[in-house]
Amino acid sequence: MTDTTHPAAEAPVAAAKTVLDINDIFKILPHRYPFLLIDRVIELRRKQRIVAIKNVTINEPFFNGHFPGQPIMPGVLIVEAMAQAGGALLLTEVEDRNNKLIMFTGIERAKFRRPVLPGDQLRLEVELKMWRQVANMVAVKMEGIAYVDERKVAEAIVSCQLVDSSRGRNLPAGEAEPE
């Protein structure tokens, strides 16, 4: 018997998958280089937990200025990587994800314990703490912990809201969207 995958069966990309490669991530997240900060998902439990990997290389554009001669990954980008992992967890539950964006609504208790350097592999463990869905709005709160090897390098609680991608464009009356 041969397994056949039909395109219609792929609507929620990770509905049955627990591991995602970069091509799966591209189907879920709108981020692209240089701002896509996760390379692989190694564990996914729907509406519970995700573990993602970010391979940190000297070629990252932020290392040019942070800091010359002493490259350190900015803490805010580590928190952004946590949020992107959490966003992948959230967006796997959304059928019309191409019309949605995930927006930060809060960052709490962010702590940075050790520097993240070129050559490190950042493991992002994000656990869903709260999921609230009302009409067309989804709000989540997630706890993220970042590790290099077995050492905790950062942690934060991140709140996000799923919104229609057209929201917030605030075009003047009568002006059409650019094509």
Side-chain angles (χ1 to χ4, degrees), residues 28-156:
I28 297 168
L29 291 178
H31 304 78
R32 295 296 180 264
Y33 178 85
F35 217 70
L36 179 61
L37 297 174
I38 61 173
D39 296 316
R40 187 170 17 131
V41 171
I42 59 174
E43 178 185 333
L44 189 143
R45 284 189 269 155
R46 293 182 64 197
K47 288 190 177 180
Q48 292 179 32
R49 174 182 161 85
I50 191 167
V51 179
I53 299 295
K54 164 67 177 151
N55 294 307
V56 182
T57 72
I58 192 62
N59 297 323
E60 308 286 349
F62 50 79
F63 283 138
N64 287 328
H66 200 270
F67 296 98
Q70 212 170 15
I72 297 172
M73 184 174 184
V76 296
L77 294 182
I78 297 169
V79 174
E80 173 66 24
M82 288 177 199
Q84 286 183 19
L89 178 63
L90 172 58
L91 284 170
T92 59
E93 300 296 323
V94 178
E95 301 239 0
D96 64 339
R97 72 178 147 266
N98 292 334
N99 300 320
K100 305 289 185 189
L101 286 176
I102 295 189
M103 307 291 238
F104 266 130
T105 55
I107 301 169
E108 303 169 39
R109 295 186 281 215
K111 293 185 179 141
F112 306 99
R113 304 197 179 278
R114 298 184 179 281
V116 175
L117 308 173
D120 286 344
Q121 186 176 70
L122 200 57
R123 189 176 78 247
L124 306 152
E125 298 185 6
V126 179
E127 189 173 310
L128 189 65
K129 295 298 186 181
M130 185 272 301
W131 176 292
R132 186 178 65 199
Q133 190 163 357
V134 181
N136 291 334
M137 190 273 304
V138 176
V140 298
K141 186 174 273 197
M142 302 169 282
E143 181 177 19
I145 302 174
Y147 296 90
V148 171
D149 297 320
E150 297 303 315
R151 299 171 94 173
K152 186 187 296 187
V153 296
E155 60 191 286

Side-chain angles (χ1 to χ4, degrees), residues 169-177:
R169 291 195 180 160
N170 296 330
L171 294 171
E175 190 173 310
E177 278 190 49

